Amino acid sequence: MNIFYAPPSQINNGFVELLDQEAMHASRVMRVKEGDRLTVVDGRGGWYEGPIRRITKKSLQVEVADQKHIALSKPALMLGMGIIKKRDRLEFAVEKAVELGATEIYLFRSEHTIKENVRMDRLEAIARSAMKQSLRAWLPEITLFHSLDEMLASVSDAMLLVAHEKVDSEQSNIDLRKLNAEKLLLLVGPEGGFSSNEIEKLKQQGANLVSLGNNRLRAETAAVTFLSQFI
Ligand code: SAH
């Protein structure tokens, strides 16, 4: 099954309009024809199905015959990741986070962050395609923060869970499957990990430190492992 993406602004008066890449992918790669039925999601929970009524060079119009709204999963799973230096590893993490149902993705610079610039356009394209691949109707927004503090200030209402590999004594022994929270913010450090300063700060904010096993995982593996505790 293939699904396509159109943001809410392209859904009007009972018609969904696919534009540019999406339209070209449907008509040139998938070779859909007028009259074929298409499924389109809007990234905000909207799921639309119906026949294609018009195909032009750069756009494709679908008449909405059926539609439903898919609720955002509960608890909301926000993933906060330190920026990873290697682009392909960061892209892998974003792709898998979307597949696993992250509802927001935050990237932050931290004390041990080496790299500063991030190709947001590429990450957004990867997120869109991972949403379609995993047949989801929600597209997590990806936000870049200049510091851990800036990120924490913008997400004040979530329960904070921090993946941390050296926790023995400090580690919380909470049961991740039985958390009573509407929103969870899962934090994963960059390659160099969180600094002790940052861990102190996070603990002061009430964060729970969570171990993901006795071995040291790469940041992107930690992100996947962390999120998969909640599916
Ligand atoms: N500080 C380490 C490496 C950090 S690994 C060093 O340089 O030696 C990158 C991130 O993955 C960590 O900040 C942590 O958030 C997460 N992580 C890796 N292994 C983990 C584990 N076993 N348990 C919990 N989190 C882990």
Side-chain angles (χ1 to χ4, degrees):
M1 178 184 187
N2 283 301
I3 63 176
F4 294 85
Y5 167 68
S9 59
Q10 285 163 226
I11 302 164
N12 296 298
N13 307 322
F15 280 88
V16 175
E17 186 167 38
L18 300 187
L19 293 175
D20 307 320
Q21 291 287 352
E22 283 295 287
M24 287 197 279
H25 181 67
S27 58
R28 302 220 183 128
V29 184
M30 308 305 297
R31 301 193 169 278
V32 296
K33 300 268 171 294
E34 286 177 359
D36 289 354
R37 240 178 127 84
L38 224 61
T39 302
V40 183
V41 291
D42 69 359
R44 308 299 308 156
W47 180 285
Y48 305 86
E49 288 177 25
I52 299 170
R53 289 296 181 221
R54 203 170 122 85
I55 300 179
T56 63
K57 261 195 182 153
K58 286 193 172 170
S59 96
L60 185 154
Q61 287 181 346
V62 176
E63 185 179 351
V64 178
D66 282 314
Q67 75 182 77
K68 59 185 173 182
H69 188 265
I70 316 262
L72 192 61
S73 61
K74 281 252 168 81
L77 282 179
M78 299 178 279
L79 173 69
M81 283 200 74
I83 297 167
I84 307 174
K85 184 171 164 230
K86 287 211 169 150
R87 189 174 81 185
D88 54 344
R89 294 187 186 278
L90 183 62
E91 292 178 354
F92 174 91
V94 166
E95 179 179 83
K96 300 310 156 200
V98 176
E99 285 180 59
L100 290 166
T103 50
E104 300 275 344
I105 298 175
Y106 303 128
L107 303 175
F108 57 88
R109 252 179 233 163
S110 66
E111 288 184 26
H112 293 168
T113 298
I114 310 165
K115 184 178 163 137
E116 305 266 306
N117 60 324
V118 175
R119 285 280 306 271
M120 291 298 280
D121 56 336
R122 279 185 64 107
L123 292 180
E124 281 156 5
I126 287 167
R128 282 196 296 277
S129 105
M131 168 185 69
K132 295 188 288 177
Q133 167 64 30
S134 54
L135 305 179
R136 292 183 179 277
W138 286 89
L139 180 64
E141 200 172 323
I142 306 174
T143 314
L144 186 61
F145 291 100
H146 296 292
S147 67
L148 180 61
D149 285 340
E150 190 186 87
M151 186 197 67
L152 292 173
S154 89
V155 219
S156 51
D157 56 345
M159 178 178 213
L160 273 181
L161 300 174
V162 182
H164 190 48
E165 71 275 29
K166 325 168 195 141
V167 275
D168 296 339
S169 57
E170 323 163 292
Q171 193 181 335
S172 67
N173 47 9
I174 47 168
D175 183 344
L176 295 181
R177 301 219 158 251
K178 292 190 189 142
L179 296 178
N180 195 9
E182 295 264 302
K183 290 185 183 176
L184 301 176
L185 174 55
L186 313 184
L187 294 186
V188 175
E191 295 94 329
F194 289 109
S195 69
S196 45
N197 212 353
E198 288 167 334
I199 290 293
E200 271 319 302
K201 199 182 291 169
L202 286 163
K203 286 203 294 191
Q204 276 165 21
Q205 301 230 4
N208 292 285
L209 304 187
V210 175
S211 164
L212 299 171
N214 294 329
N215 292 90
R216 183 173 62 179
L217 305 173
R218 284 194 184 275
E220 70 276 18
T221 318
V224 170
T225 310
F226 210 175
L227 280 165
S228 57
Q229 312 287 316
F230 301 94
I231 59 174

